[in-house]
Amino acid sequence: MALAPETIRERVGQRQHWYHTLELAPGVVTPGWFDLRPVAGQVLPASLAGKRCLDVGTFDGFWAFEMEKRGAAEVLAVDIVDPRAWDWPITSGDALVDILEDRKQGGRGFEIAAEAFGSQAGYRECSVYDLDPVEHGRFDFVFMGSLLLHLRDPIRALERLRGVCAPDGTVCTMDAIDPTLTRLFPRKALAQFDGEGRPWWWMPNIAAYERMVRAAGLEPVGSATPVRLPAGAGQPVVKPSRRALTSREGRRLLAATRKGDPQAWIHSRPLAT
Ligand SMILES: C[S@@+](CC[C@H](N)C(=O)[O-])C[C@H]1O[C@@H](n2cnc3c(N)ncnc32)[C@H](O)[C@@H]1O
């Protein structure tokens, strides 16, 4: 039985932080960190009718639900709900882990949204590194968003996506890029390294991003397309200040507030081995 909009509204209000902006009932919208609704139509095929689909690192499940809306026959969403099991640099403290654990609430966002949508999407705890065609089968469409940045070994993760993609299937990744390195070096594969205090590792330019995909045995279909991820109502607005303007991170945050988070998406096909 469908949940009443008042029940959904009450459940949405029980969570202070949402990663995704989701309209769970008419006029009941989660205050997400990002509002990816304008982006989904550019990145996903118009129809996924009859396809077996995978969403890796699903968080509140926006991409899994979008795949379902496009007619997927089956959607599996995987995630690691305990932030302690993510790839952290050794310099990270407990404070940020605790904040993220609070935001994640053991995957409660996905649970609330799935019930509100009457979704049939499956949810499993699994690291991208552990995706296995024997255990999980193969998928016609594999999606992974905003996760390569957070992985110590992004190429291994891409190899795993390739491993669970059907031979005639598609892998779609959308991830953080460095816009300055992309502008200054359109053909040279370069990346900026973070690795300090937070689970942020490599931010490639577009040339490096395409090279990473190829290095994992995936053949890009066309080039990577830049996109800006719009902030949602849950993301604090960064105002220009001396402090913001005098640090690289401050300038990055200001630009992200104004223009959205810089990313690029790419569709690719698994190379036969
Ligand atoms: C920045 S969020 C991106 C959420 C969503 N994929 C999107 O594109 O909007 C990163 C997600 O990846 C998950 N994650 C972190 N490490 C992971 C890993 N090794 N395997 C699978 N998921 C992971 C986190 O729990 C979180 O849900």
Side-chain angles (χ1 to χ4, degrees):
M1 204 176 63
L3 288 177
E6 306 79 68
T7 312
I8 299 173
R9 194 184 300 280
E10 195 187 311
R11 289 184 186 178
V12 167
Q14 283 164 2
R15 292 191 77 225
Q16 196 190 346
H17 301 290
W18 287 81
Y19 187 83
H20 289 137
T21 303
L22 300 158
E23 184 160 13
L24 299 182
V28 184
V29 182
T30 61
W33 190 267
F34 287 112
D35 186 352
L36 302 176
R37 292 175 295 174
V39 175
Q42 299 169 46
V43 177
L44 295 180
S47 169
L48 286 166
K51 307 279 186 205
R52 183 162 194 256
C53 299
L54 176 68
D55 179 25
V56 181
T58 194
F59 218 125
D60 296 328
F62 174 81
W63 293 102
F65 303 129
E66 285 295 318
M67 293 195 268
E68 210 172 26
K69 283 182 200 164
R70 285 166 172 73
E74 183 190 338
V75 178
L76 177 64
V78 297
D79 205 343
I80 296 190
V81 293
D82 179 0
R84 277 171 189 78
W86 297 357
D87 287 354
W88 291 88
I90 200 93
T91 49
S92 308
D94 284 343
L96 184 55
V97 181
D98 292 343
I99 290 172
L100 290 169
E101 189 174 27
D102 186 45
R103 294 218 165 131
K104 198 88 195 159
Q105 289 189 322
R108 179 75 183 128
F110 183 96
E111 214 175 283
I112 295 173
E115 201 179 344
F117 284 138
S119 165
Q120 300 299 308
Y123 186 98
R124 276 174 81 166
E125 276 205 65
C126 175
S127 167
V128 62
Y129 299 131
D130 296 329
L131 286 170
D132 177 356
V134 175
E135 191 183 341
H136 305 102
R138 290 193 195 261
F139 297 84
D140 305 301
F141 191 80
V142 175
F143 179 83
M144 187 169 87
S146 302
L147 182 50
L148 290 172
L149 168 70
H150 302 298
L151 298 174
R152 187 181 288 120
D153 193 342
I155 312 300
R156 192 170 138 227
L158 288 165
E159 285 173 352
R160 293 298 174 161
L161 301 186
R162 171 171 162 260
V164 292
C165 185
D168 57 350
T170 301
V171 172
C172 172
T173 58
M174 187 175 76
D175 231 284
I177 54 148
D178 186 306
T180 309
L181 288 180
T182 297
R183 206 171 46 249
L184 295 178
F185 301 97
R187 271 177 285 280
K188 192 170 177 154
L190 294 173
Q192 199 204 137
F193 183 65
D194 196 286
E196 186 98 59
R198 57 184 180 174
W200 287 38
W201 298 90
W202 297 99
M203 235 188 277
N205 64 358
I206 284 197
Y209 181 28
E210 289 174 356
R211 187 83 67 85
M212 288 160 74
V213 167
R214 284 206 172 88
L218 292 160
E219 184 56 31
V221 181
S223 1
T225 307
V227 64
R228 292 272 175 175
L229 303 193
Q235 190 173 148
V237 174
V238 179
K239 300 226 173 71
S241 66
R242 180 192 284 264
R243 199 157 154 235
L245 288 165
T246 50
S247 76
R248 191 183 162 93
E249 180 61 7
R251 288 191 297 273
R252 191 193 67 74
L253 287 169
L254 266 177
T257 288
R258 270 198 4 256
K259 300 192 265 186
D261 200 49
Q263 296 219 349
W265 59 271
I266 188 162
H267 283 194
S268 55
R269 301 216 182 273
L271 286 172
T273 43

